[in-house]
């Protein structure tokens, strides 16, 4: 079979963009064998032409002028691997309107502006794909949209940020938060603004996208309850180890009784649970649905070449379906209400630092009892007139648990703000 040349434009030639080019060059034969097409990067938009590139772009490929890329008649598909909302969003709009399919790795753009972008793409009769925006190398969007299209997925549970998982794995092994973050940045895992990783904003965008695709109803960033790992301390990580658990930043999307709940937060994960063994920059997503029971996908969740693999897969899908009318743009077909945030149920971990004097334990447990919360496990450590209490609470409404913790924070014998995290386990407590 003779190859058909397909011209590719790249918006961005950084960690991911240069890796897309590398894969298209180094795996060109495999792609051609599989598809009959030879994908060639003909233009890549950058800011700084003097920057050294990890993989050479080739003569005349790099440009600082978007119009040069937009107006190049050789370009059939564009990969947006630039990041940010502006100017990336404007460029994607222009390209879609001009009839160019786009694949994007930009979770903030897809989560925040997806509904408008998908509408523009459909209007123009072209595809907007976004596999690389969620969990880098793991093909979870394609699995949800194609393989599980009739499976009625009602729960998505995942570790969806590589940087924070890398930091937490390092902290568990005794490393420091700051050193681990610096290493994650050097390895190309972190966002340009790594605050997006550690505050949970990156994971929240990915969970909004996953929930939208899984449930067929738009979940915006504002719908995601989000806490990152910035308030975590080494004491929480070691308490988890003592309780036979690991601390992970977990995204949980639930469709229950026709209402949607999506949250991202540090969770105490039972060591026997599949998510507990996901280490370093790996991600994992567990999908639960009617006919599938549970499917877990695990793999590299960050990194240039890892993310490029998903971008290339989307490029191949676009090229392979061009002209067939297969658009698969907006995943939304219904509008579901949000579950009241306090109504979400889970077992919880509660960390308290209290004065070591008579009646403190009774005060704490009576507060829990007043909120209908039952204690499953309690570990106490004493040190110089103070006590650290690590409690595992039986399943309860999040609203009741948070209210009890807020009240405890006002007790004179409670010395620091209580720390709460959901517990993820499949074993009875
Ligand atoms: P990066 O290394 O910072 O690369 C960004 C590229 O875009 C650079 O080539 C930069 O040009 C170019 N660029 C940025 N703003 C521009 C502007 N205003 N005009 C022209 N060019 C501009 O970032 P990255 O890590 O590759 O990430 C790119 C996207 O992929 C982001 O949306 C990110 O969230 C997503 N993503 C990244 C990973 C990962 O592990 N890195 C994983 C999944 C998804 P210069 O090179 O000249 O500065
Ligand atoms: N910064 C992101 C992460 C890159 O660490 O998961 C992949 O989206």
């Amino acid at each position: 079979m003779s190859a058909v040349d397909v011209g590719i434009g790249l918006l961005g030639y950084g960690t991911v963009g240069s890796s897309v080019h590398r894969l298209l060059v180094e795996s060109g034969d495999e792609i051609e064998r599989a598809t009959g097409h030879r994908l060639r990067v003909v233009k890549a938009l950058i800011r700084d032409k003097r920057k050294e590139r990890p993989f050479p772009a080739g003569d005349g490929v790099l440009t600082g002028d978007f119009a040069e890329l937009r107006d190049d008649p050789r370009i059939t598909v564009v990969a947006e691997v630039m990041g940010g909302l502006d100017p990336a969003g404007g460029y994607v709009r222009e390209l879609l309107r001009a009839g160019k399919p786009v694949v994007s790795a930009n979770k903030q753009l897809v989560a925040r502006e997806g509904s408008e972008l998908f509408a523009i793409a459909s209007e123009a009769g072209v595809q907007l794909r976004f596999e690389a925006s969620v969990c880098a190398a793991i093909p979870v969007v394609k699995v949800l949209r194609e393989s599980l299209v009739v499976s009625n997925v009602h729960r998505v549970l995942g570790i969806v940020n590589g940087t924070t998982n890398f930091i937490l794995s390092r902290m568990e092994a005794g490393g420091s938060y700051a050193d681990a973050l610096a290493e994650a940045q050097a390895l190309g895992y972190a966002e340009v603004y790594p605050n997006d990783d550690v505050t949970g904003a990156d994971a929240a965008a990915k969970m909004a996208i996953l929930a939208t695709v899984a449930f067929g109803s738009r979940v915006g960033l504002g719908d995601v309850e989000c806490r990152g790992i910035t308030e975590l301390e080494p004491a929480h990580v070691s308490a988890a180890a003592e309780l036979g658990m690991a601390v992970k930043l977990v995204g949980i999307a639930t469709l229950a009784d026709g209402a949607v709940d999506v949250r991202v937060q540090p969770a105490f994960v039972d060591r026997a649970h599949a998510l507990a063994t996901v280490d370093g920059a790996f991600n994992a997503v567990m999908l639960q649905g009617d006919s599938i029971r549970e499917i877990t996908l695990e793999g590299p969740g960050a990194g240039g070449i890892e993310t490029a693999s998903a971008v290339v897969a989307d490029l191949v899908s676009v090229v392979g379906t061009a002209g067939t009318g297969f658009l698969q743009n907006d995943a939304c077909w219904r509008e579901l209400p949000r579950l009241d945030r306090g109504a979400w149920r889970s077992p919880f971990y509660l960390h308290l630092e209290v004065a070591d004097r008579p009646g403190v334990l009774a005060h704490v447990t009576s507060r829990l009892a007043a909120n209908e919360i039952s204690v499953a496990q309690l570990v106490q450590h004493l040190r110089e007139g103070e006590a650290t209490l690590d409690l595992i609470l039986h399943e309860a409404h999040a609203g009741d648990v948070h209210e009890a913790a807020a009240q405890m924070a006002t007790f004179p014998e409670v010395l620091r703000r209580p720390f709460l995290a959901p517990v993820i386990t499949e074993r009875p407590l």
Side-chain angles (χ1 to χ4, degrees), residues 103-239:
V103 313
S104 176
N106 187 339
K107 66 285 293 199
Q108 295 297 339
L109 184 64
V110 175
R112 289 169 196 268
E113 299 179 10
S115 89
E116 187 203 340
L117 296 174
F118 292 125
I120 294 171
S122 296
E123 176 82 4
V126 294
Q127 295 184 54
L128 170 60
R129 286 180 171 260
F130 50 96
E131 184 68 76
S133 68
V134 183
C135 297
I138 306 176
V140 59
V141 173
K142 193 163 190 149
V143 165
L144 277 170
R145 299 200 77 173
E146 295 181 22
S147 315
L148 304 183
V149 68
V150 293
S151 298
N152 191 19
V153 170
H154 46 70
R155 191 162 184 250
V156 181
L157 185 68
I159 293 174
V160 297
N161 181 269
T163 300
T164 46
N165 205 53
F166 181 87
I167 294 172
L168 293 173
S169 299
R170 284 283 195 275
M171 285 176 75
E172 202 179 9
S176 85
Y177 177 99
D179 288 350
L181 174 57
E183 203 182 333
Q185 286 179 279
L187 289 165
Y189 300 152
E191 294 301 296
V192 175
Y193 304 105
N195 239 17
D196 271 10
D197 295 296
V198 296
T199 60
D202 178 84
K206 290 166 176 168
M207 287 307 297
I209 295 170
L210 281 180
T212 300
V213 174
F215 305 149
S217 175
R218 177 98 45 230
V219 174
L221 269 180
D223 298 318
V224 183
E225 173 150 331
C226 175
R227 274 168 65 206
I229 63 166
T230 45
E231 4 155 350
L232 267 181
E233 291 173 12
H236 305 134
V237 176
S238 45

Side-chain angles (χ1 to χ4, degrees), residues 168-169 171-173 232-250 266-273 275-276 348-352 377-381 388-392 419-425 427 429:
L168 293 173
S169 299
M171 285 176 75
E172 202 179 9
L232 267 181
E233 291 173 12
H236 305 134
V237 176
S238 45
E242 192 175 350
L243 291 161
M245 301 192 189
V247 186
K248 299 283 180 192
L249 185 69
V250 174
F268 272 43
V269 183
D270 183 354
R271 275 266 158 228
H273 193 277
L275 290 187
F348 281 88
Y349 162 78
L350 171 64
H351 177 87
L352 293 168
Q377 217 178 324
L378 189 155
V379 177
Q380 174 172 269
H381 290 291
T388 301
L389 303 178
D390 294 301
L391 295 96
I392 301 293
F419 175 84
L420 263 180
V423 167
I424 295 178
T425 180
R427 293 193 295 197
L429 290 172

Side-chain angles (χ1 to χ4, degrees), residues 12-16 47-48 51 53 81 83 105 107 188 191 303 307:
Y13 198 80
T15 306
V16 179
R47 279 175 299 209
D48 181 359
K51 222 186 230 181
R53 304 289 162 181
V81 282
K107 66 285 293 199
E191 294 301 296
T307 309

